[in-house]
């Protein structure tokens, strides 16, 4: 049995060496500063400064041009009593509530399929799965609008050809939102699939082998080994998806313009229309600030939940 | 080694942050080039390019025609103004307060061109004319002749023959019932079209009195009629409430009639080959009327360094002989009298448009020019409350009364002058 003894205290020579090391200049000082300078300047120019401007505008009656007056919290007071603001925020939440799980499940299913050792045709599958990611959101919107056109769209043509009734893909608010949910899942799955492929390839094979010896089936292995092993990536994907879907603009604008009517007008559209079309830049900036707080709160809650579950994303 | 790496890193970082600025117009090298920004269909773009080529042949001055999607045109000009990089000139859908102080005086050109008086838009601040009508645009109706003939249903072809909206709906419904047509009517989703529809019901649409937006009782009657046409399936809901393309819907060959505008004639000549189409007089309930105005505003900008050359081109473009060439090529209605334009086989259509315009004079001054004039006074609003609130009404988000109340409220808030 070994007995632990305390480490001998450092002698004077060792202390001198250490303090000498402390006094020595670090090896790299200027290069890292220069390398991050570009990013820092760009961040300051295109994120921080516009953010400060937005906050300033939100306290004024600025219309996007001409003079403005300081109005304090008037815009925020107006927003608190604005049903259109709540409607847009609520619809954005509903959109995220459906599109995030679907996007997550689709990306994970694609990644599991591609990383399965028994899978055939992995290379063409990778290409097919990844293609939507290369398409711009505007083009995605146009493609899906063409497919789900209510009067002369491809899907309704197929339905009626098979003897069915035409569906109101454009004029029914819920069906219209469902099309956007599926379109966004289709368009965004590839990127998250790559994250999952990286995570899945890091799961030790020995765990699966041990589980097989214990008689575990594919579903049990997926539930008890795969999902817990990729939990940090899952948290990251859900966080990125949530923030991305909450900020959806280009695709829904191209697909149905927030229609029918204003039933599917999401938050960014509301801000855009208020600021640019109705020339209420101060009011729209206040809405942006409130939306920023909502997004920060969502991100914070998700990170807290993930830390409790010991699935740290970073 | 480390010093060299640091230098290289510094150089790379500096290069990454450098931007290149492009100039719109040039007169530095002696070869003058002027840029003109517009949003037109193939026909209009082609006509303007033809004029640019003619001008270069005559004067040696190069005109660069820059085509921009209609939805982006306002933003493009606004951003250019804010970046102090405006083009020499533009065909703009509106007058933007962001650049009103950079507009050149076009009064002399306006006087020599002799536009219709109601199209003269003076800057209320100094009385100068700084924008000229590009062309005249008017609302009108087209029918799919094949469908009507197949159904054996007659329709008017000249202004002497009249039909009410009730008669039109009955006739077009018969066409839908007797053929494979899907809809009786499709209409462009725009306030411009809707105003013509309101006029035909006797409404004067929405106008300002002492700074307050007002309307007439016929507006409610017309909007309710419009709602019923959607509700019954006579018109496709998806065009007005969900942004489906009305032109493509008509071109499918399964719509009896299309309520659009004169600019479609040129496009239909080129693109509609599957069926025969025709311009017809619009229905009346009981008023014969259309809504007309300048398709866009020709504006020229100060501070470009090529102001003289720009004014020279504008003067040349709006001279009678050159503007006739442009009008013939782009199949447009001229904003002035006295031009001899050969429209070929579609001359009858332009006669119908001109007749409906003549019947509508007086309505024009109520809104369009006032709306444009309000831009000079510091209002820049891209939204159209008449259209926006009608869409919400059609989508059952609000009632008819709420729609009208909102139209008046938002118009009062956002329009001045």
């Amino acid at each position: 049995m070994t007995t632990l003894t305390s480490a001998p205290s450092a002698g004077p020579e060792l202390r001198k060496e250490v303090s000498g090391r402390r006094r020595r200049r670090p090896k790299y000082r200027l290069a890292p500063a220069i390398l991050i300078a570009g990013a820092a300047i760009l961040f300051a120019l295109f994120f921080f400064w516009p953010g400060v401007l937005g906050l300033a505008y939100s306290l004024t009656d600025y219309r996007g041009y001409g003079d403005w007056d300081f109005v304090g919290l008037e815009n925020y007071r107006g927003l608190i009593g604005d049903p259109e603001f709540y409607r847009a925020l609520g619809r954005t939440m509903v959109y995220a509530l459906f599109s995030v799980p679907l996007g997550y499940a689709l990306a994970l299913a694609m990644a599991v399929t591609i990383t399965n050792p028994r899978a055939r045709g992995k290379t063409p599958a990778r290409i097919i799965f990844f293609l939507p990611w290369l398409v711009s959101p505007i083009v995605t919107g146009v493609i899906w609008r063409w497919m789900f056109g209510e009067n002369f769209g491809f899907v309704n043509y197929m339905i009626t050809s098979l003897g069915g009734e035409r569906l109101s893909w454009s004029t029914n608010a819920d069906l219209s939102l469902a099309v956007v949910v599926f379109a966004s899942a289709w368009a965004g799955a590839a990127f998250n699939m790559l994250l999952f492929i990286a995570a899945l390839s890091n799961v030790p094979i020995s765990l699966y082998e041990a589980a097989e010896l214990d008689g575990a089936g594919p579903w049990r292995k997926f539930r008890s080994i795969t999902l817990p092993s990729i939990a940090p990536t899952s948290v990251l994907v859900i966080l990125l998806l949530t923030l991305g879907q909450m900020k959806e603009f280009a695709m829904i604008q191209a697909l149905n313009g927030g229609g029918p009517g204003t039933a599917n007008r999401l938050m960014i559209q509301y801000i855009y229309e208020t600021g640019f079309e109705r020339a209420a830049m101060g009011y729209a900036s206040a809405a942006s600030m409130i939306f920023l707080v909502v997004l920060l709160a969502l991100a914070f809650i998700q990170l807290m939940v993930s830390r409790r579950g010991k699935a740290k994303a970073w | 080694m480390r010093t060299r790496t640091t230098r290289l890193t510094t150089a790379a970082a500096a290069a990454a942050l450098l931007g290149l600025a492009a100039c719109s117009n040039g007169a530095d090298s002696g070869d003058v080039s002027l840029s003109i920004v517009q949003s037109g269909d193939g026909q209009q773009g082609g006509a303007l390019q033809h004029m640019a080529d003619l001008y270069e042949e005559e004067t040696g001055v190069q005109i660069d025609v820059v085509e921009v999607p209609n939805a982006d045109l306002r933003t493009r000009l606004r951003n250019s103004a804010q970046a102090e990089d405006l083009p020499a000139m533009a065909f703009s859908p509106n007058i933007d307060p962001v650049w009103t102080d950079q507009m050149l005086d076009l009064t002399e050109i306006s006087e020599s061109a002799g536009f219709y008086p109601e199209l003269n838009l003076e800057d209320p601040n100094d009385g100068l004319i700084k924008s000229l009508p590009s062309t005249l645009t008017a609302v009108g109706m087209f029918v799919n002749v094949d469908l009507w003939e197949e159904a054996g249903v007659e329709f008017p072809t000249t202004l002497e023959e009249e039909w009410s909206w009730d008669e039109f709906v009955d006739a077009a419904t018969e066409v839908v019932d007797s053929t494979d047509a899907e809809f009786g009517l499709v209409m462009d989703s725009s306030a411009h079209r809707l105003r013509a529809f309101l006029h035909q019901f006797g409404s004067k649409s929405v106008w300002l009195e002492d700074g307050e937006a007002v309307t007439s009782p016929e507006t409610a009657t017309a909007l309710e009629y419009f709602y019923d046409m959607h509700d019954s399936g006579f018109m496709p809901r998806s065009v007005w409430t969900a942004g489906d393309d009305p032109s493509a819907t008509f071109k499918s060959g399964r719509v009896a009639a299309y309520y659009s505008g004169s600019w479609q004639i040129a496009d239909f000549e080129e693109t509609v080959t599957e069926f025969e189409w025709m311009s017809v007089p619009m229905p009346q309930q009981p008023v014969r009327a259309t809504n007309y105005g300048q398709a866009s505003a020709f504006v020229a900008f100060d501070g470009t360094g090529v102001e003289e050359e720009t004014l020279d081109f504008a003067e040349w473009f709006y001279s009678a002989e050159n503007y006739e060439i442009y009008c013939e090529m782009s199949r447009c209605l001229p904003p002035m009298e006295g031009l001899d334009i050969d429209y070929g086989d579609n001359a009858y259509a332009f006669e119908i448009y001109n007749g409906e315009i003549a019947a509508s004079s007086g309505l024009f001054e109520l809104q369009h020019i006032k709306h444009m004039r309000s831009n000079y006074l510091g209002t820049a609003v891209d939204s159209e409350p008449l259209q926006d609130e009608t869409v919400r009404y059609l989508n059952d988000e609000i009632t008819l009364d709420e729609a009208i109340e909102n139209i008046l409220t938002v118009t009062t808030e956002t329009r001045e002058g």
Side-chain angles (χ1 to χ4, degrees):
Chain A
M1 180 159 181
T2 52
T3 11
L4 289 172
T5 53
S6 58
S9 58
E13 280 180 25
L14 184 62
R15 265 202 298 272
K16 200 186 287 179
E17 199 181 316
V18 170
S19 60
R21 255 190 234 150
R22 275 190 192 142
R23 271 202 301 272
R24 196 185 297 162
R25 285 183 64 199
K27 239 180 172 182
Y28 304 107
R29 223 175 190 184
L30 191 59
I34 291 168
L35 286 169
I36 64 163
I41 291 168
L42 289 174
F43 177 82
L45 272 178
F46 296 106
F47 288 93
F48 184 73
W49 175 239
V52 170
L53 268 182
L55 183 61
Y57 286 154
S58 74
L59 303 172
T60 69
D61 63 356
Y62 185 54
R63 303 188 69 180
Y65 54 87
D67 300 329
W68 50 266
D69 291 313
F70 179 77
V71 295
L73 297 176
E74 193 55 45
N75 290 325
Y76 292 91
R77 265 195 291 272
L79 277 166
I80 287 165
D82 183 351
E84 292 296 316
F85 172 74
Y86 291 115
R87 224 157 62 94
L89 189 60
R91 205 61 179 169
T92 308
M93 295 278 192
V94 170
Y95 170 67
L97 197 69
F98 284 97
S99 62
V100 171
L102 183 67
Y104 173 87
L106 189 63
L108 183 56
M110 281 156 54
V112 169
T113 305
I114 279 179
T115 53
N116 190 318
R118 295 198 199 94
R120 296 282 170 269
K122 287 183 187 180
T123 307
R126 273 174 200 264
I127 294 166
I128 291 165
F129 289 162
F130 200 71
L131 269 179
W133 177 249
L134 304 176
V135 178
S136 88
I138 296 287
V139 176
T140 301
V142 171
I143 290 169
W144 282 72
R145 177 191 272 272
W146 172 79
M147 285 200 307
F148 287 88
E150 189 165 316
N151 303 320
F152 307 106
F154 176 73
V155 174
N156 269 351
Y157 170 76
M158 294 300 291
I159 290 171
T160 49
S161 299
L162 296 168
E165 280 290 306
R166 226 169 42 183
L167 289 172
S168 308
W169 298 112
S170 304
T171 53
N172 178 299
D174 295 334
L175 274 180
S176 187
L177 189 68
V179 172
V180 182
V181 166
F182 282 104
S184 73
W186 174 83
F191 177 73
N192 298 317
M193 176 189 79
L194 291 182
L195 295 177
F196 281 131
I197 286 173
L200 289 167
S201 58
N202 286 328
V203 181
I205 294 171
S206 56
L207 293 178
Y208 292 109
E209 289 168 347
E212 262 181 53
L213 288 173
D214 288 340
W219 171 243
R220 183 64 201 271
K221 281 190 284 183
F222 176 76
R223 199 164 48 88
S224 302
I225 299 170
T226 308
L227 279 182
S229 301
I230 63 166
T233 306
S234 292
V235 170
L236 183 66
V237 166
I238 290 168
L239 182 67
L240 292 176
L241 265 176
T242 306
L243 296 179
Q245 303 301 63
M246 293 285 287
K247 294 188 293 179
E248 179 57 64
F249 176 71
M251 195 186 61
I252 197 167
Q253 189 80 3
L255 212 163
N256 63 17
T262 58
N264 286 319
R265 187 166 62 178
L266 302 186
M267 203 57 218
I268 300 293
Q269 277 181 304
Y270 170 83
I271 291 166
Y272 172 81
E273 286 172 17
T274 306
F276 292 100
E277 290 186 4
R278 295 181 69 164
M281 198 64 79
Y283 195 78
S285 299
S288 298
M289 290 299 137
I290 293 177
F291 192 50
L292 174 70
V293 172
V294 170
L295 291 181
L296 284 173
L298 277 174
F300 182 75
I301 290 164
Q302 285 190 4
L303 288 175
M304 286 300 103
V305 169
S306 76
R307 288 193 179 187
R308 265 194 204 161
K310 294 191 172 64
K312 290 179 187 173
W314 45 62
Chain B
M1 179 70 191
R2 226 177 39 232
T3 316
R4 188 161 162 258
T5 310
T6 307
R7 273 203 217 114
L8 282 171
T9 312
T10 312
L17 291 173
L18 277 176
L20 294 171
C23 239
S24 308
N25 316 289
D28 302 333
S29 60
D31 296 333
V32 179
S33 70
L34 312 173
S35 59
I36 179 162
V37 176
Q38 76 149 12
S39 174
D41 56 22
Q43 195 96 2
Q44 290 166 329
L48 188 60
Q49 187 58 60
H50 177 75
M51 300 310 288
D53 295 340
L54 276 183
Y55 191 67
E56 190 172 4
E57 275 175 34
E58 282 186 34
T59 64
V61 175
Q62 189 185 329
I63 309 289
D64 297 322
V65 179
V66 182
E67 286 289 344
V68 176
N70 192 49
D72 296 336
L73 190 52
R74 295 172 192 215
T75 312
R76 166 83 173 241
L77 289 175
R78 190 176 289 189
N79 290 347
S80 298
Q82 286 166 339
E84 294 180 1
D85 188 29
L86 279 162
M89 48 200 158
F91 284 115
S92 171
N94 69 336
I95 308 295
D96 197 317
V98 169
W99 42 257
T100 45
D101 60 344
Q102 295 175 71
M103 294 165 75
L104 291 174
D105 177 13
L106 304 173
T107 309
E108 277 184 33
I109 297 168
S110 171
E111 284 168 357
S112 63
F115 298 112
Y116 294 117
E118 63 263 40
L119 295 175
N120 287 331
L121 173 62
E122 295 165 354
D123 180 346
N125 299 302
D126 54 23
L128 299 175
I129 292 174
K130 300 172 183 174
S131 75
L132 309 174
S134 59
T135 61
L136 201 64
T137 184
V139 176
M141 188 181 266
F142 302 91
V143 296
N144 179 326
V145 177
D146 291 4
L147 289 175
W148 289 74
E149 283 183 351
E150 187 188 335
V153 180
E154 292 189 348
F155 54 87
T157 55
T158 65
L159 290 170
E160 284 68 46
E161 304 162 85
E162 296 179 353
W163 55 354
S164 67
W165 270 98
D166 293 336
E167 287 166 342
F168 163 75
V169 170
D170 288 345
T173 302
E174 198 179 328
V175 172
V176 172
D177 292 343
S178 319
T179 63
D180 70 341
E182 196 80 33
F183 300 106
L185 176 72
V186 63
M187 185 197 284
D188 290 342
S189 178
S190 83
H192 188 62
R193 307 287 181 262
L194 192 57
R195 280 196 192 98
F197 182 78
L198 299 184
H199 295 335
Q200 285 152 9
F201 279 74
S203 161
K204 291 181 178 177
S205 184
V206 179
W207 67 100
L208 294 175
E209 276 183 8
D210 302 325
E212 285 284 320
V214 291
T215 189
S216 44
E218 293 86 355
T219 300
T221 311
L223 288 179
E224 195 166 20
Y225 200 95
F226 193 54
Y227 178 95
D228 290 343
M229 285 198 295
H230 282 88
D231 200 42
S232 65
F234 181 76
M235 290 179 77
R237 289 181 84 94
S238 57
V239 169
W240 268 72
T241 67
D244 270 10
D245 184 347
S247 184
T249 305
F250 179 67
K251 287 176 183 177
S252 72
R254 298 181 66 190
V255 183
Y258 181 21
Y259 197 92
S260 185
S262 53
W263 69 274
Q264 292 278 16
I265 293 172
D267 180 54
F268 287 180
E269 279 180 353
E270 297 285 316
T271 59
V272 180
T273 54
E274 302 294 310
F275 60 88
E276 193 188 339
W277 59 272
M278 199 170 171
S279 284
V280 295
M282 285 185 287
Q284 304 162 220
Q285 196 93 347
V287 180
R288 162 154 288 159
T290 184
N291 188 32
Y292 68 101
Q294 56 181 37
S296 58
F298 174 87
V299 291
F301 295 108
D302 200 2
T304 57
V306 287
E307 292 86 347
E308 281 302 316
E309 293 86 349
T310 302
L311 291 173
D312 288 345
F313 171 76
E315 193 173 357
W316 176 90
F317 180 77
Y318 279 106
S319 67
E321 59 177 319
N322 292 319
Y323 196 79
E324 270 178 16
I325 298 169
Y326 176 70
C327 251
E328 266 176 38
M329 279 197 76
S330 64
R331 288 286 188 269
C332 71
L333 289 159
M336 69 281 275
E337 277 180 356
L339 295 191
D340 182 23
I341 298 164
D342 179 12
Y343 291 116
D345 292 345
N346 289 312
Y348 80 94
F350 288 93
E351 276 176 31
I352 292 172
Y353 278 100
N354 283 323
E356 287 177 333
I357 287 168
S360 314
S361 61
L363 289 167
F364 184 76
E365 177 59 21
L366 282 172
Q367 42 237 322
H368 186 76
I369 281 289
K370 278 204 169 185
H371 179 176
M372 297 276 289
R373 197 169 285 131
S374 72
N375 296 152
Y376 278 117
L377 297 169
T379 305
V381 177
D382 292 346
S383 66
E384 269 287 3
L386 178 64
Q387 180 187 346
D388 298 344
E389 300 303 326
T390 300
V391 167
R392 294 179 68 201
Y393 166 51
L394 293 176
N395 198 43
D396 294 323
E397 293 174 34
I398 51 175
T399 64
L400 174 62
D401 290 345
E402 285 169 334
I404 289 172
E405 190 187 335
N406 292 349
I407 289 165
L408 298 179
T409 304
V410 177
T411 305
T412 303
E413 281 173 6
T414 56
R415 307 281 194 265
E416 294 167 29

